[in-house]
Amino acid sequence: MNNINLKYVRILCSICIVLSVYMFIILSCGKSDSDMDDDYKYNPDKPVVLESFSPSEGGMATRLIISGSNLGNDPSKIKVYFNEKPAAIIGCDKGKALVVTPRQPGDTCTISVVVGKDSVTATEKFVYHISTTVTTLVGKKGTNELKSGSFAEATFMNPSTLTVDNEGNIFLSHWRGNYEIVMINQQNQTVTKMYSGDATGAPSTDAEGKVVMFPSDGGDVLYVLDPAAQWGVRRRQILHPSAEEQAAGMKDFKINWKHGFAACKLDGMIYTRSAGGQIVKFNPKTRVGQLVADGIDPDTDGFLSFDPLHPNMLYISYPSRHCIYTFDILTKEHKLFAGSKNTPGWKDGKADEALFNSPVQLVFDVNNNIVLADAGNHCIRQITPEGRVSTLIGIAGKAGYQDGNPDDALFNYPKGVAIDKDYNIYIADYNNNCIRKLAVE
């Protein structure tokens, strides 16, 4: 805790430095072209120089002063980036620019300034501090039924897996009771039971983030919810290829149990995996499916997510195997990525040394980290693109219910995770019967 307090003291001191010159910059900016001091206009015949910036660390929306020369005095003509993320420009004049750090640009940031055709990069790095907080979005611990209604009225019984569409609506596979499909409208703060009577697996949107699809646990059935059809639930089948299509090279498939869908941006198809070990893809418009691969770790459940930066790479979590594999849809290579197969436990570190306990749903965040519901460890894990595993929030091995920061928050067998366009993470806290919201800033 002492280190945390010292960190905040340093940040507060840096903020004081910013505030001391803030009024100077604001008063210097916003001038009309006729009022601008020619001495501080951007001169394309001179180099842009970046001398320093302050503070050197902070979180989202930290106000930062960049000092240099030939930065100009027109805020519309200067661009500042933290890694590849643009910062908001408040003002610039007299060799200084006041900017606001963007959200989640990365732990260590390279600051670059672009004025006109000139670009310059700072030699020092900006250290970005992530703030993580858990709150309960909807639901109540101790309830034992699904109840629709307002957020204040709604209750759950074992919410399982979920997804979020482009509008921020949450779609939930409600596992117990009558096995329901549930829509959570955050704008209206309502929970609505959309369908009941069939166990469903982890849902997914299509590649555009609009149409939502739930896999039925058994057989070829899926459920489709389309905003163009007022979210009416339609029961559909994954169709088998015709004799002509099979003669043209499409392979037939057999699905016994399926527990997740994943949309692939590489080919626009929806992928699923049968518990029997078959990976199957189907066209979301025609619903015609075909076999992709067979013998992929049969006789176990699997949950799927595609890597946004490498859309040929499908990541599969195996709860009963306690590990995560990759599957390359181009080469058909199935490879252990993180964890030790058939070895439950908890350990952070390198992916090949880390341990998991019944990992369930996984998704990718804006920085291409994997966010994973490590159900048996009662926590949410993160895996970086470099293969470093950490515990994002929750206390490994300790089941409970507590909102708050990473030091305090507790979960009880979280199974589902989803991320919206604002980078908020939603968690289906299975045994606490509620939906939690993890804000990472």
Side-chain angles (χ1 to χ4, degrees), residues 256-299:
N256 47 9
W257 305 101
K258 57 188 184 298
H259 295 92
F261 282 157
C264 180
K265 292 186 177 181
L266 187 66
D267 58 13
M269 306 287 271
I270 305 298
Y271 283 69
T272 189
R273 178 191 167 279
S274 167
Q278 289 195 339
I279 292 180
V280 176
K281 66 179 180 180
F282 67 92
N283 186 312
K285 299 188 185 311
T286 66
R287 291 181 282 110
V288 176
Q290 59 181 298
L291 180 68
V292 177
D294 201 355
I296 305 300
D297 215 329
D299 303 319

CSV table of all heavy atoms in Angstrom, one decimal, residues 256-299:
chain,number,residue,atom,x,y,z
A,256,ASN,N,-22.3,-33.1,-31.9
A,256,ASN,CA,-23.1,-33.7,-30.8
A,256,ASN,C,-23.4,-32.6,-29.7
A,256,ASN,O,-24.5,-32.4,-29.4
A,256,ASN,CB,-22.4,-34.9,-30.2
A,256,ASN,CG,-20.9,-34.7,-30.0
A,256,ASN,OD1,-20.4,-33.6,-30.1
A,256,ASN,ND2,-20.2,-35.7,-29.6
A,257,TRP,N,-22.4,-32.0,-29.2
A,257,TRP,CA,-22.6,-30.9,-28.3
A,257,TRP,C,-21.7,-29.7,-28.7
A,257,TRP,O,-20.5,-29.9,-29.1
A,257,TRP,CB,-22.2,-31.3,-26.9
A,257,TRP,CG,-23.0,-32.5,-26.4
A,257,TRP,CD1,-22.5,-33.8,-26.4
A,257,TRP,CD2,-24.3,-32.6,-26.0
A,257,TRP,NE1,-23.5,-34.7,-25.9
A,257,TRP,CE2,-24.6,-33.9,-25.7
A,257,TRP,CE3,-25.3,-31.6,-25.8
A,257,TRP,CZ2,-25.9,-34.3,-25.2
A,257,TRP,CZ3,-26.6,-32.0,-25.3
A,257,TRP,CH2,-26.8,-33.4,-25.1
A,258,LYS,N,-22.2,-28.5,-28.6
A,258,LYS,CA,-21.4,-27.3,-29.0
A,258,LYS,C,-21.6,-26.3,-27.9
A,258,LYS,O,-22.7,-26.1,-27.4
A,258,LYS,CB,-21.7,-26.8,-30.3
A,258,LYS,CG,-23.2,-26.4,-30.6
A,258,LYS,CD,-23.5,-26.1,-32.0
A,258,LYS,CE,-24.9,-25.6,-32.2
A,258,LYS,NZ,-25.9,-26.7,-31.9
A,259,HIS,N,-20.5,-25.6,-27.5
A,259,HIS,CA,-20.7,-24.6,-26.4
A,259,HIS,C,-20.2,-23.2,-26.7
A,259,HIS,O,-20.2,-22.4,-25.7
A,259,HIS,CB,-19.8,-25.2,-25.2
A,259,HIS,CG,-20.3,-26.5,-24.7
A,259,HIS,ND1,-19.9,-27.7,-25.1
A,259,HIS,CD2,-21.3,-26.8,-23.8
A,259,HIS,CE1,-20.5,-28.7,-24.5
A,259,HIS,NE2,-21.3,-28.1,-23.7
A,260,GLY,N,-20.0,-22.9,-27.9
A,260,GLY,CA,-19.6,-21.5,-28.2
A,260,GLY,C,-19.6,-21.3,-29.7
A,260,GLY,O,-19.4,-22.2,-30.5
A,261,PHE,N,-19.8,-20.0,-30.1
A,261,PHE,CA,-19.7,-19.5,-31.5
A,261,PHE,C,-18.6,-18.4,-31.5
A,261,PHE,O,-18.3,-17.8,-30.4
A,261,PHE,CB,-20.9,-18.9,-32.0
A,261,PHE,CG,-22.0,-19.9,-32.4
A,261,PHE,CD1,-23.3,-19.5,-32.5
A,261,PHE,CD2,-21.7,-21.1,-32.8
A,261,PHE,CE1,-24.3,-20.3,-32.9
A,261,PHE,CE2,-22.7,-22.0,-33.2
A,261,PHE,CZ,-24.0,-21.6,-33.3
A,262,ALA,N,-17.9,-18.3,-32.6
A,262,ALA,CA,-16.9,-17.2,-32.8
A,262,ALA,C,-17.0,-16.7,-34.2
A,262,ALA,O,-16.9,-17.6,-35.1
A,262,ALA,CB,-15.5,-17.6,-32.4
A,263,ALA,N,-17.1,-15.4,-34.4
A,263,ALA,CA,-17.2,-14.9,-35.8
A,263,ALA,C,-15.8,-14.6,-36.3
A,263,ALA,O,-14.9,-14.0,-35.6
A,263,ALA,CB,-18.0,-13.6,-35.8
A,264,CYS,N,-15.5,-15.0,-37.5
A,264,CYS,CA,-14.2,-14.9,-38.1
A,264,CYS,C,-14.2,-13.7,-39.1
A,264,CYS,O,-15.0,-13.8,-40.1
A,264,CYS,CB,-13.7,-16.2,-38.8
A,264,CYS,SG,-12.1,-16.1,-39.6
A,265,LYS,N,-13.4,-12.7,-39.0
A,265,LYS,CA,-13.3,-11.6,-39.9
A,265,LYS,C,-12.6,-11.9,-41.2
A,265,LYS,O,-12.6,-11.2,-42.2
A,265,LYS,CB,-12.7,-10.4,-39.2
A,265,LYS,CG,-13.6,-9.8,-38.1
A,265,LYS,CD,-13.0,-8.5,-37.6
A,265,LYS,CE,-14.0,-7.9,-36.5
A,265,LYS,NZ,-13.5,-6.7,-35.9
A,266,LEU,N,-11.8,-13.0,-41.1
A,266,LEU,CA,-11.0,-13.4,-42.3
A,266,LEU,C,-11.9,-13.9,-43.4
A,266,LEU,O,-11.8,-13.6,-44.6
A,266,LEU,CB,-10.0,-14.5,-41.9
A,266,LEU,CG,-9.0,-14.9,-43.0
A,266,LEU,CD1,-8.1,-13.7,-43.3
A,266,LEU,CD2,-8.2,-16.1,-42.6
A,267,ASP,N,-12.9,-14.7,-43.1
A,267,ASP,CA,-13.8,-15.3,-44.1
A,267,ASP,C,-15.3,-15.0,-43.9
A,267,ASP,O,-16.1,-15.4,-44.7
A,267,ASP,CB,-13.6,-16.8,-44.2
A,267,ASP,CG,-13.8,-17.6,-42.9
A,267,ASP,OD1,-14.4,-17.0,-42.0
A,267,ASP,OD2,-13.4,-18.8,-42.8
A,268,GLY,N,-15.6,-14.3,-42.8
A,268,GLY,CA,-17.0,-13.9,-42.5
A,268,GLY,C,-17.8,-15.1,-42.0
A,268,GLY,O,-19.1,-14.9,-41.8
A,269,MET,N,-17.2,-16.2,-41.7
A,269,MET,CA,-18.0,-17.4,-41.3
A,269,MET,C,-18.1,-17.4,-39.7
A,269,MET,O,-17.3,-16.7,-39.0
A,269,MET,CB,-17.3,-18.7,-41.7
A,269,MET,CG,-17.1,-18.7,-43.3
A,269,MET,SD,-18.6,-19.0,-44.2
A,269,MET,CE,-18.6,-20.8,-44.2
A,270,ILE,N,-19.0,-18.2,-39.2
A,270,ILE,CA,-19.1,-18.5,-37.8
A,270,ILE,C,-18.6,-19.9,-37.5
A,270,ILE,O,-18.9,-20.8,-38.2
A,270,ILE,CB,-20.6,-18.4,-37.4
A,270,ILE,CG1,-21.2,-17.1,-37.8
A,270,ILE,CG2,-20.7,-18.6,-35.9
A,270,ILE,CD1,-20.6,-15.9,-37.2
A,271,TYR,N,-17.7,-19.9,-36.5
A,271,TYR,CA,-17.0,-21.2,-36.2
A,271,TYR,C,-17.6,-21.7,-34.8
A,271,TYR,O,-17.9,-20.9,-33.9
A,271,TYR,CB,-15.5,-21.0,-36.0
A,271,TYR,CG,-14.8,-20.9,-37.4
A,271,TYR,CD1,-15.0,-19.8,-38.2
A,271,TYR,CD2,-14.0,-21.9,-37.8
A,271,TYR,CE1,-14.3,-19.7,-39.4
A,271,TYR,CE2,-13.3,-21.8,-39.0
A,271,TYR,CZ,-13.5,-20.7,-39.8
A,271,TYR,OH,-12.9,-20.6,-41.0
A,272,THR,N,-17.7,-23.0,-34.8
A,272,THR,CA,-18.0,-23.7,-33.5
A,272,THR,C,-17.2,-25.0,-33.4
A,272,THR,O,-16.6,-25.4,-34.4
A,272,THR,CB,-19.5,-24.0,-33.5
A,272,THR,OG1,-19.9,-24.4,-32.2
A,272,THR,CG2,-20.0,-25.0,-34.5
A,273,ARG,N,-17.2,-25.5,-32.2
A,273,ARG,CA,-16.5,-26.8,-32.0
A,273,ARG,C,-17.4,-27.8,-31.3
A,273,ARG,O,-18.0,-27.4,-30.3
A,273,ARG,CB,-15.3,-26.5,-31.1
A,273,ARG,CG,-14.5,-27.8,-30.8
A,273,ARG,CD,-13.4,-27.5,-29.8
A,273,ARG,NE,-12.9,-28.8,-29.3
A,273,ARG,CZ,-13.5,-29.5,-28.4
A,273,ARG,NH1,-14.6,-29.1,-27.8
A,273,ARG,NH2,-12.9,-30.7,-28.0
A,274,SER,N,-17.5,-28.9,-31.8
A,274,SER,CA,-18.3,-30.0,-31.2
A,274,SER,C,-17.5,-30.7,-30.1
A,274,SER,O,-16.2,-30.8,-30.2
A,274,SER,CB,-18.6,-31.0,-32.3
A,274,SER,OG,-19.1,-32.2,-31.7
A,275,ALA,N,-18.2,-31.1,-29.1
A,275,ALA,CA,-17.5,-31.8,-28.0
A,275,ALA,C,-16.8,-33.1,-28.5
A,275,ALA,O,-15.9,-33.6,-27.8
A,275,ALA,CB,-18.4,-32.1,-26.8
A,276,GLY,N,-17.3,-33.6,-29.6
A,276,GLY,CA,-16.7,-34.7,-30.2
A,276,GLY,C,-15.3,-34.5,-30.9
A,276,GLY,O,-14.7,-35.4,-31.4
A,277,GLY,N,-14.9,-33.2,-31.0
A,277,GLY,CA,-13.7,-32.8,-31.6
A,277,GLY,C,-13.7,-32.3,-33.0
A,277,GLY,O,-12.6,-32.1,-33.6
A,278,GLN,N,-14.9,-32.0,-33.5
A,278,GLN,CA,-15.0,-31.5,-34.8
A,278,GLN,C,-15.1,-29.9,-34.8
A,278,GLN,O,-15.9,-29.4,-33.9
A,278,GLN,CB,-16.2,-32.0,-35.6
A,278,GLN,CG,-16.1,-33.4,-36.0
A,278,GLN,CD,-17.1,-33.8,-37.1
A,278,GLN,OE1,-18.1,-33.2,-37.2
A,278,GLN,NE2,-16.8,-34.9,-37.8
A,279,ILE,N,-14.3,-29.2,-35.6
A,279,ILE,CA,-14.5,-27.8,-35.8
A,279,ILE,C,-15.3,-27.6,-37.0
A,279,ILE,O,-14.9,-28.1,-38.1
A,279,ILE,CB,-13.1,-27.1,-35.8
A,279,ILE,CG1,-12.5,-27.1,-34.4
A,279,ILE,CG2,-13.3,-25.6,-36.2
A,279,ILE,CD1,-11.1,-26.4,-34.3
A,280,VAL,N,-16.3,-26.8,-36.9
A,280,VAL,CA,-17.3,-26.6,-38.0
A,280,VAL,C,-17.5,-25.1,-38.2
A,280,VAL,O,-17.5,-24.4,-37.3
A,280,VAL,CB,-18.7,-27.3,-37.7
A,280,VAL,CG1,-19.7,-27.0,-38.8
A,280,VAL,CG2,-18.5,-28.8,-37.5
A,281,LYS,N,-17.6,-24.7,-39.5
A,281,LYS,CA,-17.9,-23.3,-39.8
A,281,LYS,C,-19.2,-23.3,-40.7
A,281,LYS,O,-19.5,-24.3,-41.4
A,281,LYS,CB,-16.8,-22.7,-40.5
A,281,LYS,CG,-16.4,-23.2,-41.9
A,281,LYS,CD,-15.3,-22.4,-42.6
A,281,LYS,CE,-15.0,-22.9,-44.0
A,281,LYS,NZ,-13.9,-22.1,-44.6
A,282,PHE,N,-19.9,-22.2,-40.5
A,282,PHE,CA,-21.1,-22.0,-41.4
A,282,PHE,C,-21.3,-20.6,-41.8
A,282,PHE,O,-20.8,-19.7,-41.1
A,282,PHE,CB,-22.3,-22.6,-40.7
A,282,PHE,CG,-22.8,-21.8,-39.5
A,282,PHE,CD1,-23.7,-20.7,-39.6
A,282,PHE,CD2,-22.3,-22.1,-38.2
A,282,PHE,CE1,-24.1,-20.0,-38.4
A,282,PHE,CE2,-22.7,-21.4,-37.1
A,282,PHE,CZ,-23.6,-20.4,-37.2
A,283,ASN,N,-21.9,-20.4,-42.9
A,283,ASN,CA,-22.2,-19.1,-43.4
A,283,ASN,C,-23.4,-18.5,-42.7
A,283,ASN,O,-24.5,-19.1,-42.7
A,283,ASN,CB,-22.5,-19.2,-44.9
A,283,ASN,CG,-22.7,-17.8,-45.6
A,283,ASN,OD1,-23.4,-17.0,-45.1
A,283,ASN,ND2,-22.1,-17.7,-46.7
A,284,PRO,N,-23.3,-17.3,-42.0
A,284,PRO,CA,-24.4,-16.8,-41.2
A,284,PRO,C,-25.6,-16.4,-42.1
A,284,PRO,O,-26.7,-16.3,-41.5
A,284,PRO,CB,-23.7,-15.6,-40.5
A,284,PRO,CG,-22.6,-15.2,-41.4
A,284,PRO,CD,-22.1,-16.5,-42.0
A,285,LYS,N,-25.4,-16.2,-43.4
A,285,LYS,CA,-26.6,-15.8,-44.2
A,285,LYS,C,-27.3,-17.1,-44.8
A,285,LYS,O,-28.5,-17.2,-44.7
A,285,LYS,CB,-26.1,-14.9,-45.3
A,285,LYS,CG,-25.5,-13.6,-44.8
A,285,LYS,CD,-25.2,-12.7,-46.0
A,285,LYS,CE,-24.5,-11.4,-45.6
A,285,LYS,NZ,-25.1,-10.7,-44.4
A,286,THR,N,-26.5,-18.0,-45.3
A,286,THR,CA,-27.1,-19.2,-45.9
A,286,THR,C,-27.3,-20.3,-44.8
A,286,THR,O,-28.1,-21.3,-45.0
A,286,THR,CB,-26.3,-19.8,-47.0
A,286,THR,OG1,-25.0,-20.2,-46.5
A,286,THR,CG2,-26.1,-18.7,-48.1
A,287,ARG,N,-26.5,-20.3,-43.8
A,287,ARG,CA,-26.5,-21.2,-42.7
A,287,ARG,C,-25.9,-22.6,-43.1
A,287,ARG,O,-26.0,-23.6,-42.4
A,287,ARG,CB,-27.8,-21.4,-42.0
A,287,ARG,CG,-28.2,-20.2,-41.2
A,287,ARG,CD,-29.6,-20.4,-40.5
A,287,ARG,NE,-30.7,-20.2,-41.5
A,287,ARG,CZ,-31.5,-21.2,-41.9
A,287,ARG,NH1,-31.2,-22.4,-41.4
A,287,ARG,NH2,-32.4,-21.0,-42.7
A,288,VAL,N,-25.3,-22.7,-44.3
A,288,VAL,CA,-24.7,-23.9,-44.7
A,288,VAL,C,-23.4,-24.1,-44.1
A,288,VAL,O,-22.5,-23.2,-44.1
A,288,VAL,CB,-24.5,-23.9,-46.3
A,288,VAL,CG1,-23.8,-25.2,-46.7
A,288,VAL,CG2,-25.9,-23.9,-47.0
A,289,GLY,N,-23.2,-25.3,-43.4
A,289,GLY,CA,-21.9,-25.5,-42.7
A,289,GLY,C,-21.0,-26.5,-43.4
A,289,GLY,O,-21.5,-27.2,-44.4
A,290,GLN,N,-19.8,-26.6,-42.9
A,290,GLN,CA,-18.9,-27.6,-43.4
A,290,GLN,C,-17.8,-27.9,-42.4
A,290,GLN,O,-17.6,-27.1,-41.5
A,290,GLN,CB,-18.2,-27.2,-44.7
A,290,GLN,CG,-17.5,-25.9,-44.6
A,290,GLN,CD,-16.8,-25.4,-45.9
A,290,GLN,OE1,-16.0,-26.1,-46.5
A,290,GLN,NE2,-17.3,-24.3,-46.4
A,291,LEU,N,-17.2,-29.1,-42.5
A,291,LEU,CA,-16.2,-29.5,-41.6
A,291,LEU,C,-14.9,-28.8,-41.9
A,291,LEU,O,-14.5,-28.7,-43.0
A,291,LEU,CB,-16.0,-31.0,-41.7
A,291,LEU,CG,-14.9,-31.6,-40.8
A,291,LEU,CD1,-15.4,-31.6,-39.3
A,291,LEU,CD2,-14.6,-33.1,-41.2
A,292,VAL,N,-14.3,-28.3,-40.8
A,292,VAL,CA,-13.0,-27.6,-40.9
A,292,VAL,C,-11.9,-28.6,-40.5
A,292,VAL,O,-10.8,-28.7,-41.2
A,292,VAL,CB,-12.9,-26.4,-40.1
A,292,VAL,CG1,-11.5,-25.7,-40.2
A,292,VAL,CG2,-13.9,-25.4,-40.5
A,293,ALA,N,-12.1,-29.3,-39.4
A,293,ALA,CA,-11.1,-30.2,-38.9
A,293,ALA,C,-11.7,-31.2,-37.9
A,293,ALA,O,-12.8,-30.9,-37.3
A,293,ALA,CB,-9.9,-29.5,-38.1
A,294,ASP,N,-11.2,-32.4,-37.8
A,294,ASP,CA,-11.7,-33.4,-36.9
A,294,ASP,C,-10.6,-33.9,-35.9
A,294,ASP,O,-9.4,-33.6,-36.1
A,294,ASP,CB,-12.2,-34.6,-37.7
A,294,ASP,CG,-13.2,-35.4,-37.0
A,294,ASP,OD1,-13.5,-35.2,-35.8
A,294,ASP,OD2,-13.7,-36.4,-37.6
A,295,GLY,N,-11.0,-34.5,-34.8
A,295,GLY,CA,-10.1,-35.0,-33.9
A,295,GLY,C,-9.4,-33.9,-33.0
A,295,GLY,O,-8.3,-34.2,-32.5
A,296,ILE,N,-10.1,-32.8,-32.9
A,296,ILE,CA,-9.5,-31.7,-32.1
A,296,ILE,C,-9.9,-31.8,-30.6
A,296,ILE,O,-10.9,-31.4,-30.2
A,296,ILE,CB,-9.9,-30.3,-32.6
A,296,ILE,CG1,-9.6,-30.2,-34.1
A,296,ILE,CG2,-9.3,-29.2,-31.9
A,296,ILE,CD1,-8.1,-30.3,-34.4
A,297,ASP,N,-9.0,-32.6,-29.9
A,297,ASP,CA,-9.2,-32.8,-28.4
A,297,ASP,C,-10.7,-33.2,-28.1
A,297,ASP,O,-11.4,-32.5,-27.5
A,297,ASP,CB,-8.9,-31.5,-27.6
A,297,ASP,CG,-8.2,-31.9,-26.3
A,297,ASP,OD1,-8.5,-33.0,-25.8
A,297,ASP,OD2,-7.4,-31.2,-25.8
A,298,PRO,N,-11.1,-34.4,-28.6
A,298,PRO,CA,-12.5,-34.8,-28.4
A,298,PRO,C,-12.8,-35.1,-27.0
A,298,PRO,O,-11.9,-35.2,-26.1
A,298,PRO,CB,-12.5,-36.1,-29.2
A,298,PRO,CG,-11.1,-36.6,-29.3
A,298,PRO,CD,-10.3,-35.4,-29.3
A,299,ASP,N,-14.1,-35.2,-26.7
A,299,ASP,CA,-14.7,-35.5,-25.4
A,299,ASP,C,-14.4,-34.5,-24.4
A,299,ASP,O,-14.2,-34.7,-23.2
A,299,ASP,CB,-14.2,-36.9,-24.9
A,299,ASP,CG,-14.4,-38.0,-25.9
A,299,ASP,OD1,-15.5,-38.0,-26.5
A,299,ASP,OD2,-13.5,-38.8,-26.1
